[in-house]
Amino acid sequence: MIRVPPAFLLIPALIASPAGATELTDLTEAERTALRSEIREFLLEEPGILLEMIAIIEGEQSDASAERDRDLVLQFRGEIYNDGISFVGGNPDGDVTIVEFLDYRCGYCRRAHGEIAALLRQDGGIRWITKEYPILGPDSLFAARMAVATLRSLGDGAYLALHDVLMTHDGSVNDATLEEIALRADIDVETIEDAMQDPGVQQHIASVRELGQSLGIRGTPTFVIGDVMIRGYISGADMQGIVAGVRQAAN
């Protein structure tokens, strides 16, 4: 049984008085000192109360953040799901869309890569959109330019092959390794080198960056599924659960 210190009993009595909470400010300095001492002693004896308070506060903050994210997804829904420039894989006519903001040098993006591939194999009703969001330095930007250039010049099949290679490539991604990476993906090196100089590639990346900033995305991976935004890595099983929830809500 939790013991409530006598000083705590002052608080409801004061709040219930005609003057309300304002009387809490009318305590003498001695009464304030006694109240603080009682509260401190109580919390030291019952530290679980603090943990409960922290859990409640974190839960409220999490709920508020999720609500803000839902509002953002609704506000930028067109740019997220139908920007006309991003790669669309899986089932283009699927009933649920997973949008992934990614960085090819991000360890958690690489971890999610295989799980997403497995989910797409298991569930033929998922539409998958990738958005290059390079935030980890020059190699990240080079990889994003290479991927976007491939998509624009060689199409979806070549892009997907390169995407797989970039997600599993160990080492630098730059001019010195471009040929090696292109050969592994079985795409023409000269075509990609030329395509990477196209201003449209940088415009594509800038457009995605602007969208990401509008959504408050500061890390990768970030996923959008339905009206849910997931900021960070989640397992394939968790993703599958969210997809099921989106389907259920639509029915």
Side-chain angles (χ1 to χ4, degrees):
M1 180 177 179
I2 296 176
R3 179 185 66 83
V4 179
F8 267 59
L9 300 178
L10 287 171
I11 297 176
L14 287 168
I15 293 175
S17 68
T22 56
E23 292 200 13
L24 287 170
T25 64
D26 296 333
L27 295 175
T28 66
E29 190 58 38
E31 289 171 332
R32 289 174 187 276
T33 300
L35 181 59
R36 284 194 291 265
S37 178
E38 289 280 4
I39 292 172
R40 182 177 184 279
E41 180 183 349
F42 173 66
L43 292 176
L44 288 173
E45 292 178 0
E46 301 290 345
I49 296 294
L50 284 175
L51 296 177
E52 290 179 20
M53 293 170 63
I54 291 170
I56 291 170
I57 292 170
E58 288 180 342
E60 291 175 347
Q61 290 176 338
S62 178
D63 290 344
S65 296
E67 186 63 33
R68 285 194 298 271
D69 283 348
R70 278 192 289 271
D71 290 342
L72 285 170
V73 171
L74 290 174
Q75 181 180 352
F76 294 98
R77 192 172 188 83
E79 294 96 318
I80 294 170
Y81 287 110
N82 297 290
D83 64 4
I85 59 173
S86 296
F87 169 78
V88 179
N91 179 355
D93 299 317
D95 61 333
V96 176
T97 301
I98 295 176
V99 179
E100 180 184 9
F101 288 79
L102 60 90
D103 184 315
Y104 288 106
R105 311 309 293 159
C106 163
Y108 283 105
C109 295
R110 289 166 169 247
R111 182 177 175 184
H113 174 63
E115 300 200 42
I116 292 171
L119 182 58
L120 293 176
R121 287 193 298 269
Q122 296 165 10
D123 188 330
I126 294 177
R127 178 173 177 252
W128 173 50
I129 296 176
T130 61
K131 293 185 183 291
E132 277 71 21
Y133 198 64
I135 57 176
L136 296 176
D139 278 20
S140 293
L141 179 57
F142 191 95
R145 288 177 55 221
M146 194 173 178
V148 172
T150 299
L151 177 64
R152 289 168 57 89
S153 63
L154 295 176
D156 291 348
Y159 169 88
L160 192 55
L162 178 64
H163 176 87
D164 290 340
V165 170
L166 288 172
M167 277 297 182
T168 57
H169 175 73
D170 292 326
S172 300
V173 182
N174 51 37
D175 284 317
T177 58
L178 184 150
E179 183 173 1
E180 172 198 346
I181 293 169
L183 289 174
R184 284 180 56 199
D186 195 25
I187 56 179
D188 184 70
V189 177
E190 292 184 1
T191 298
I192 298 308
E193 286 178 325
D194 291 342
M196 287 177 70
Q197 307 310 312
D198 184 341
V201 170
Q202 190 56 43
Q203 290 170 7
H204 176 126
I205 294 171
S207 175
V208 174
R209 180 179 291 118
E210 182 178 352
L211 173 60
Q213 290 171 346
S214 296
L215 295 172
I217 295 175
R218 297 182 177 85
T220 54
T222 292
F223 300 96
V224 182
I225 309 173
D227 62 356
V228 178
M229 192 184 310
I230 303 102
R231 299 178 182 273
Y233 167 83
I234 58 171
S235 69
D238 288 340
M239 202 174 301
Q240 191 173 28
I242 295 172
V243 168
V246 170
R247 284 196 174 116
Q248 184 176 8
N251 295 328

